[in-house]
């Protein structure tokens, strides 16, 4: 076994604390990574507080935005060598046999993929532990290559915030001539702005924080709509082809947002709030609008996204913190006080 040092929630809703644990010995197709940086996703907060009612396993080492360097490769590994700059995202395995896995859509694995933390390994007994740690052992098929021009600390959040927004933008054919709106300017939202802009769309931010207007423009948004301003929804009815909802709360009047879509337009929720969204179908019925969801992206698409970011020099705006600052950072995530992603310097653990 490999000794690992990390930060864990020992119980739901408790502060995170230093935690020592063990990783499996690498198997023949495994890569061992020295974790350098780990992003803090809002999902980590949902998971450590068990807000989704999964009956999450504790102790839990969160973290699924991992960037590091290959430390060891085992006999049959062909894709990576020692010293490579690599990342690991939200999944570390899947069944590889179902129709979705065979079509490079293992994020939709029919029997359920193995999440990077809080999930059961294929051995049926080991609980996975995530990236708020110094080392991880991952099958080479679930390891991504980070382009040389992207610094590792800034590349980390691409492994979740980047792919979770790239995938629906890509699926719903974002490009020149398309009007895209992004609900919520947080970790995911600010990546959606950068990516949609690089894909050639006209981009509008829909935010409840008026103070983010300057940032939205700096990030590349063409327009900013303050959603608490009176008349803003009526004044922008039938405007967008695609809306990406990244908001972490369910406290939303969805009918107002649906009203912003053109006929046949689509609103995709990637935000995964603790409570259910309340939806009346009328605004969908009346303009044949679509309401959809999307989860992360496949390994193939994640590599494509990383290469796209490398080509266009796209990285998130990050605040680098020390491992001991993680609880302070969680409190700020809860208050939407982050511009726009915390990344933990795991070399300092
Ligand atoms: P984040 O950085 O905390 O950003 C969320 C944004 O939502 C905030 O910046 C804020 O934007 C808005 N917001 C927060 N509380 C709100 C409230 N009470 N009412 C209205 N708006 C509010 O979170 P994130 O890391 O981007 O994650 C966003 C959501 O996506 C989370 O639920 C997360 O679990 C989920 N997620 C899903 C996937 C997937 O695969 N589908 C992957 C990763 C994350 P403004 O200040 O601009 O209003
Ligand atoms: Zn995430
Ligand atoms: Zn599968």
């Amino acid at each position: 076994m490999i000794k690992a040092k990390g930060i864990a929630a020992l119980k739901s809703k408790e502060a995170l604390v230093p935690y020592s644990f063990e990783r499996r010995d690498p198997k023949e197709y495994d890569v061992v990574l020295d974790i350098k940086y780990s992003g803090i996703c809002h999902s980590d907060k949902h998971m450590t507080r068990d807000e989704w009612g999964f009956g999450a396993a504790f102790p839990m080492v969160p973290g699924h935005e991992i960037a590091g360097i290959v430390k060891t490769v085992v006999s049959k590994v062909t894709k990576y060598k020692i010293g490579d700059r690599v990342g690991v995202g939200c999944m570390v395995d899947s069944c590889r046999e179902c129709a979705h896995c065979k079509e490079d859509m293992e994020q939709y694995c029919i029997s359920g993929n193995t999440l990077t933390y809080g999930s059961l390994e294929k051995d049926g007994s080991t609980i996975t532990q995530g990236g708020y740690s110094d080392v991880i052992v991952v099958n080479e098929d679930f390891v991504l290559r980070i382009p040389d021009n992207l610094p590792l600390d800034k590349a980390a959040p691409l492994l979740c915030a980047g792919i979770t927004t790239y995938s629906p933008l890509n699926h719903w054919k974002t490009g020149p001539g398309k009007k895209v709106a992004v609900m919520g300017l947080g970790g995911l939202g600010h990546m959606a702005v950068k990516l949609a802009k690089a894909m050639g769309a006209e981009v509008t931010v829909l935010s409840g924080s008026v103070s983010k207007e300057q940032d939205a423009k700096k990030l590349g948004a063409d327009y900013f709509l303050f959603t608490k301003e009176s008349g803003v929804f009526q004044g922008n009815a039938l405007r967008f082809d695609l809306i990406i909802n990244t908001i972490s709360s369910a406290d939303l009047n969805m009918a107002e947002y649906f009203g912003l879509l053109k006929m046949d337009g689509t609103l995709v929720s990637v935000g995964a709030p603790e409570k259910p969204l309340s939806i009346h179908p009328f605004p969908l019925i009346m303009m044949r609008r679509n309401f959809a969801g999307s989860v992360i992206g496949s390994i193939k698409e994640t590599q494509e996204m990383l290469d796209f970011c490398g080509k266009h020099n796209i990285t998130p705006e990050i605040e680098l913190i020390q491992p001991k600052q993680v609880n302070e950072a969680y409190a700020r995530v809860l208050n939407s006080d982050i511009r726009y992603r915390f990344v933990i310097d795991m070399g300092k653990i």
Side-chain angles (χ1 to χ4, degrees), residues 41-43 46 52 160 164 184-189 207-209 212 246-249 252 270-273 294-296 333 336 341:
C41 176
H42 203 112
S43 300
H46 293 304
W52 291 328
C160 176
T164 302
L185 197 63
L188 266 57
S207 172
S209 307
K212 291 181 182 172
T246 74
I247 294 177
S248 51
S249 157
L252 298 169
V270 291
S294 179
V295 74
I296 47 171
V333 169
S336 294
R341 200 57 144 188

Side-chain angles (χ1 to χ4, degrees), residues 1-282:
M1 301 292 266
I2 297 177
K3 293 206 174 310
K5 279 190 291 182
I7 312 167
L10 300 181
K11 286 190 181 153
S12 170
K13 299 187 175 66
E14 281 194 357
L16 276 70
V17 293
Y19 179 66
S20 296
F21 61 108
E22 290 183 327
R23 301 284 192 186
R24 69 165 181 263
D25 282 323
K27 294 181 278 192
E28 52 190 4
Y29 291 100
D30 280 344
V31 170
V32 183
L33 257 80
D34 245 338
I35 300 178
K36 299 292 185 195
Y37 299 100
S38 196
I40 297 181
C41 176
H42 203 112
S43 300
D44 299 341
K45 185 224 84 175
H46 293 304
M47 285 287 283
T48 54
R49 296 164 67 91
D50 198 13
E51 290 178 348
W52 291 328
F54 290 171
F58 293 90
M60 177 190 291
V61 179
H64 57 209
E65 294 185 334
I66 300 169
I69 305 282
V70 174
K71 185 178 170 170
T72 316
V73 291
V74 185
S75 56
K76 293 198 175 153
V77 169
T78 57
K79 296 178 180 166
Y80 297 99
K81 59 179 191 324
I82 294 170
D84 282 352
R85 304 165 82 250
V86 293
V88 176
C90 301
M91 297 176 282
V92 288
D93 209 349
S94 72
C95 86
R96 304 170 188 233
E97 287 169 354
C98 72
H100 297 176
C101 281
K102 283 192 173 148
E103 286 168 19
D104 279 318
M105 302 254 243
E106 55 293 306
Q107 76 273 36
Y108 300 113
C109 174
I110 292 167
S111 55
N113 49 48
T114 307
L115 298 175
T116 304
Y117 69 88
S119 198
L120 210 51
E121 291 267 19
K122 293 291 172 208
D123 67 8
S125 60
T126 313
I127 302 288
T128 55
Q129 300 290 11
Y132 298 5
S133 58
D134 58 350
V135 64
I136 191 166
V137 183
V138 183
N139 182 286
E140 65 170 340
D141 293 340
F142 286 80
V143 175
L144 287 308
R145 190 173 295 284
I146 295 175
D148 286 341
N149 61 321
L150 301 182
L152 281 185
D153 53 354
K154 292 191 166 203
L158 298 176
L159 277 303
C160 176
I163 185 58
T164 302
T165 48
Y166 180 90
S167 184
L169 287 169
N170 195 29
H171 181 76
W172 276 278
K173 304 197 174 9
T174 298
K178 289 282 174 77
K179 292 184 197 290
V180 173
V182 178
M183 291 168 64
L185 197 63
L188 266 57
H190 93 294
M191 284 313 306
V193 170
K194 290 191 179 204
L195 291 166
K197 195 66 199 164
M199 290 174 181
E202 179 193 288
V203 182
T204 300
V205 169
L206 309 173
S207 172
S209 307
V210 72
S211 61
K212 291 181 182 172
E213 179 162 8
Q214 291 305 322
D215 285 357
K217 300 276 172 64
K218 270 196 238 150
L219 293 166
D222 300 287
Y223 301 98
F224 178 91
L225 299 178
F226 176 43
T227 51
K228 293 176 183 160
E229 190 178 313
S230 77
V232 73
F233 288 97
Q234 294 82 345
N236 291 281
L238 293 161
R239 178 164 168 182
F240 302 110
D241 298 285
L242 179 67
I243 301 179
I244 309 280
N245 173 17
T246 74
I247 294 177
S248 51
S249 157
D251 189 15
L252 298 169
N253 181 343
M254 291 302 289
E256 290 184 322
Y257 289 95
F258 289 143
L260 300 177
L261 288 171
K262 292 179 183 173
M263 188 179 95
D264 283 332
T266 300
L267 189 152
V268 188
S269 272
V270 291
E274 178 180 5
K275 303 214 169 76
L277 291 173
S278 168
I279 288 160
H280 197 292
F282 265 126

